[in-house]
Amino acid sequence: MTTASTQPTRREILKWFSGIPFLPLGAMATAATLAGCNDSDDSSVVTPTPQPSKLKNAKFTTMTAPTTAADRATTLVNSKLEIEWEDSTTTPYQLAYKPFFKTGDSVPKLGGGTIIAGGYFDVNGNPIMDKSVAGKERQFFSDCPDGSSLIQLEGAKVDGVANPVFHVVQFEYNSKDQAGGDTYGQLPSPIAILTLDQDQKTGHLELKKYFNVDTAPVHGLWITCGASLSPWNTHLSSEEYEPDAFNQGIGGTDPKYLGKYFFGDETKANPYNYGHLPEVTVNLDGTGSIKKHYCLGRISHELIHVMPDNRTALMGDDYTNGGFFMFVADKEKDLSAGTLYVAKYINTLTETSTASIQWIKLGHATSKEIEDLVAGGIKSTDIMESLTTNPNDASYTEITLAKKTLWVKLKPGMEKAAAFLETHRYAALKGASMAFTKMEGTNVNIKDKVAYSALANIQDSMVVGGKGYVAEHNVGFSKKITAGGVLAHKLGNSFTDNEGSSINSEWVPLYSYMLLMGEDLATADKLGNTAHPDKIASPDNLKFSETLRTLFIGEDSGNHVNNFLWAYNVDTKELIRLLSTPAGAESTGLHAVDSINGWTYIMSNFQHPGDSSSVPEDVKALINQNYNNGYSANVGYITADPIAPSVTTK
């Protein structure tokens, strides 16, 4: 989501979901295996001759930004990929995009019958109906698919599916009802498990079954944004813009709407049940279940990433005056208990500087401990006092959140409750660098031990003199960069926290520095872009491919009228445009998997097509034709077809 405002507007929060089946590079196998990138059902497509050589290098060729109305009104992929083998032969591929479905489509339901893709359901599993236009009642469905995970499970067996692969897809929100009324953040976010059939000869993925995960056991879901695949093959979801339990305008929309639509009662949605980390476990038969972890902090979660140790999770915070958080689990492959930390920069982070980190320990808890506090009826005023006017009392601490000044005081003995239920206020109270504006997705480059965080904007609290800026936070950029950038973190071990205790992890961020930055334009160009079209603008989703040595970057930007998906090679420093979304849409759901049965996949979708005042009328008309008057969005993936002659010699 790319807005720095306290109450995100619908346009500012919208996202795009990505699903791309890539190449068989993960296996580093043969050219015949690589031909599996061919996603065509046309048996006449030439298949390369098998080559015993191994992969040497992979290079993308950029596409130009779309200019015609037709190209700007759809998902466009004109980029290419060239694979170089150790025997000096090359295999070129034409990339393309193929959807599994448009939201609102009727698709095959696991167990029989059909189901509406992206459809909303209440606590009892009944469809939530849009009754805003008399005589046109229909089930609400999302125009905003977001985080995704492609999962292979050994021993999977689904009736009617030869080679099942599972794709978990979450739907962040619904933009509007049929009457045009704003419904952002009002409906309980659905999560679905798609059963796909993987063609073993081509790598092609085909949707076979759709299963809607029951979210009643976790009180429904709140604005599920980015997501990641855990090292143990579960889907780590998110709940963004957590509702403010003090009702002081710090956080997301009023939970009464979720109460109304999910429970049928505006009073039943407790704000402390939202803003946590949901985890989806997929079963071998294509069903699945969900649980929430209450011990990773109640923040604006988006696309956390668990390090290779199966214990350390790095977390951005899609918020203004947000922090950089870390969680270290007690046990491997188990996020139900652990220690929560937040970063304090001990020298100033700028456009050009490197800033060292001191990790502040917020506390240790089990998920059950915190969930029991919520079930027991704990209130915000039981935990701390939070005032919007200065009490002129030295026992209160002045903090800044979402560009607002607050005065807070912790109640005796409430440290644990504050750390895990009022995480933003408590982190600020403990002296953390609560300075970031919309820190989004986080990912890791394992070989180099470098993590990456997307900064949708560099403005307000990050800029000297900006609204919400606090000098003591030690984040002070010299100017606003609305186009944002990518922040890198060097990882290491032998680290102690602010209390002098050792942090039990070898994947702790030691210092941060800027890797990439966008460039704002003084005036909009002829297409309406306010950021340089050949550079990133408001990066959101990040995924790194170890095989390709490439950081994939999806945009959520009003600065590019058509948002892009980029590939940045960390060795060559080349930034390549791979894909363009429909105008006004957001690139979401980015997920890169180096190998599933020898095939490499990059998943990618989009959200809310046409939803921008910068979209020209002729483009908007075509978008309405393509995407159900803007009520639908695609869930799909990028394909790769060999270009004849499929193997050439240098």
Side-chain angles (χ1 to χ4, degrees):
M1 323 296 301
T2 55
T3 179
S5 62
T6 302
Q7 286 291 103
T9 65
R10 180 168 57 87
R11 161 66 198 126
E12 290 170 325
I13 300 183
L14 304 177
K15 284 205 159 183
W16 186 78
F17 170 55
S18 285
I20 279 181
F22 220 75
L23 321 169
L25 304 179
M28 292 192 184
T30 65
T33 306
L34 195 62
C37 295
N38 171 25
D39 192 68
S40 173
D41 292 322
D42 184 355
S43 60
S44 66
V45 173
V46 176
T47 300
T49 303
Q51 300 288 314
S53 187
K54 293 184 178 180
L55 175 115
K56 179 180 179 181
N57 185 44
K59 182 179 180 180
F60 291 100
T61 301
T62 196
M63 58 175 272
T64 59
T67 56
T68 69
D71 285 348
R72 299 184 72 196
T74 189
T75 301
L76 184 69
V77 182
N78 283 334
S79 49
K80 296 179 175 63
L81 176 69
E82 182 177 272
I83 302 299
E84 180 183 358
W85 306 97
E86 286 185 347
D87 64 359
S88 296
T89 60
T90 61
T91 306
Y93 290 87
Q94 176 64 57
L95 303 183
Y97 182 77
K98 184 172 183 177
F100 295 125
F101 55 74
K102 285 189 298 189
T103 58
D105 286 351
S106 181
V107 297
K109 181 181 179 181
L110 185 71
T114 60
I115 190 170
I116 297 299
Y120 287 87
F121 297 88
D122 66 17
V123 68
N124 297 310
N126 300 314
I128 300 175
M129 303 302 292
D130 180 352
K131 302 176 182 179
S132 60
V133 178
K136 293 186 178 181
E137 294 81 3
R138 71 182 186 193
Q139 183 180 6
F140 272 113
F141 56 86
S142 177
D143 60 330
C144 296
D146 207 295
S148 73
S149 297
L150 190 66
I151 299 174
Q152 178 187 21
L153 297 178
E154 190 70 29
K157 186 175 182 180
V158 181
D159 289 344
V161 184
N163 299 290
V165 174
F166 303 111
H167 190 45
V168 184
V169 181
Q170 59 196 41
F171 301 89
E172 186 178 2
Y173 60 94
N174 172 274
S175 296
K176 59 186 177 182
D177 60 27
Q178 292 185 86
D182 188 353
T183 55
Y184 169 74
Q186 297 185 10
L187 298 168
S189 298
I191 289 187
I193 299 171
L194 315 183
T195 298
L196 310 174
D197 198 353
Q198 184 189 46
D199 189 311
Q200 300 299 290
K201 294 181 179 179
T202 66
H204 170 70
L205 300 174
E206 181 181 357
L207 175 66
K208 291 293 186 180
K209 309 286 183 181
Y210 184 109
F211 175 80
N212 186 70
V213 177
D214 180 13
T215 63
V218 295
H219 315 285
L221 296 176
W222 178 275
I223 313 177
T224 54
C225 197
S228 64
L229 178 68
S230 75
W232 52 93
N233 260 350
T234 59
H235 175 82
L236 301 179
S237 181
S238 58
E239 290 188 308
E240 189 178 53
Y241 299 120
E242 79 284 1
D244 181 19
F246 285 93
N247 296 313
Q248 292 174 326
I250 310 294
T253 56
D254 194 326
K256 73 178 183 182
Y257 296 107
L258 187 143
K260 170 186 174 182
Y261 284 108
F262 191 63
F263 297 107
D265 183 338
E266 290 187 356
T267 68
K268 284 193 174 181
N270 184 335
Y272 281 145
N273 277 321
Y274 309 101
H276 301 289
L277 184 84
E279 181 177 17
V280 175
T281 299
V282 180
N283 300 324
L284 297 177
D285 62 357
T287 62
S289 60
I290 190 169
K291 57 187 173 184
K292 278 185 189 177
H293 297 295
Y294 284 68
C295 52
L296 279 82
R298 201 173 74 93
I299 60 175
S300 192
H301 284 290
E302 170 157 1
L303 206 167
I304 80 162
H305 193 86
V306 178
M307 299 294 109
D309 64 355
N310 293 313
R311 296 175 54 252
T312 306
L314 298 185
M315 301 178 284
D317 186 17
D318 192 353
Y319 194 75
T320 298
N321 291 113
F324 182 33
F325 291 87
M326 177 176 66
F327 177 79
V328 181
D330 291 348
K331 300 178 183 178
E332 289 189 23
K333 303 180 181 181
D334 182 357
L335 299 177
S336 66
T339 305
L340 181 64
Y341 302 89
V342 65
K344 166 68 176 179
Y345 286 100
I346 56 179
N347 57 290
T348 304
L349 177 68
T350 69
E351 297 94 327
T352 58
S353 67
T354 295
S356 298
I357 297 174
Q358 170 69 71
W359 286 97
I360 296 174
K361 180 180 177 180
L362 296 180
H364 176 279
T366 68
S367 182
K368 186 177 187 306
E369 281 182 283
I370 306 306
E371 188 173 10
D372 285 349
L373 287 177
V374 179
I378 194 169
K379 305 296 183 186
S380 59
T381 50
D382 297 331
I383 301 172
M384 61 172 56
E385 294 183 48
S386 181
L387 307 179
T388 56
T389 57
N390 190 347
N392 294 311
D393 182 338
S395 66
Y396 287 79
T397 300
E398 180 181 324
I399 65 172
T400 303
L401 290 179
K403 300 183 285 187
K404 293 185 176 182
T405 302
L406 300 174
W407 288 264
V408 298
K409 182 169 70 172
L410 189 67
K411 296 290 182 71
M414 299 305 290
E415 288 82 2
K416 181 171 290 190
F420 295 96
L421 292 176
E422 288 296 336
T423 309
H424 279 133
R425 286 176 170 86
Y426 190 63
L429 182 63
K430 295 282 282 184
S433 292
M434 304 298 285
F436 290 104
T437 53
K438 298 189 63 59
M439 181 184 280
E440 311 249 2
T442 301
N443 213 244
V444 67
N445 170 347
I446 297 172
K447 179 182 177 181
D448 298 338
K449 293 199 78 168
V450 175
Y452 308 105
S453 296
L455 301 176
N457 309 121
I458 297 171
Q459 60 186 37
D460 295 324
S461 57
M462 293 186 69
V463 180
V464 175
K467 192 171 183 182
Y469 171 75
V470 177
E472 289 77 14
H473 290 164
N474 284 332
V475 176
F477 285 66
S478 64
K479 66 177 182 178
K480 178 173 74 172
I481 306 172
T482 307
V486 176
L487 186 66
H489 315 281
K490 182 60 180 175
L491 308 175
N493 57 5
S494 301
F495 213 76
T496 57
D497 63 26
N498 63 309
E499 298 177 357
S501 300
S502 176
I503 298 176
N504 186 18
S505 171
E506 296 183 355
W507 298 88
V508 178
L510 307 178
Y511 56 84
S512 303
Y513 58 93
M514 292 304 300
L515 179 75
L516 290 171
M517 286 186 287
E519 180 183 332
D520 296 340
L521 300 177
T523 58
D525 66 16
K526 63 181 180 181
L527 295 179
N529 296 310
T530 58
H532 197 302
D534 295 327
K535 297 183 179 182
I536 59 171
S538 296
D540 188 314
N541 290 249
L542 296 180
K543 295 291 168 148
F544 187 78
S545 169
E546 296 287 334
T547 299
L548 300 175
R549 296 284 294 164
T550 295
L551 180 66
F552 296 97
I553 305 167
E555 295 182 339
D556 171 15
S557 168
N559 309 312
H560 286 165
V561 181
N562 287 87
N563 276 239
F564 305 125
L565 174 64
W566 302 91
Y568 177 75
N569 187 288
V570 296
D571 297 321
T572 66
K573 315 301 182 187
E574 287 185 287
L575 182 67
I576 303 296
R577 183 188 291 107
L578 296 183
L579 176 149
S580 172
T581 70
E586 176 186 342
S587 173
T588 62
L590 175 63
H591 181 51
V593 181
D594 276 346
S595 181
I596 289 185
N597 292 324
W599 299 95
T600 299
Y601 292 89
I602 304 173
M603 315 306 289
S604 177
N605 310 339
F606 67 81
Q607 288 186 357
H608 54 80
D611 190 20
S612 170
S613 58
S614 300
V615 179
E617 289 302 317
D618 58 338
V619 177
K620 184 67 173 286
L622 291 173
I623 287 173
N624 287 339
Q625 291 178 26
N626 293 338
Y627 303 109
N628 189 21
N629 289 317
Y631 284 96
S632 296
N634 280 348
V635 171
Y637 64 92
I638 293 175
T639 64
D641 292 331
I643 302 171
S646 55
V647 177
T648 59
T649 302
K650 287 189 174 181

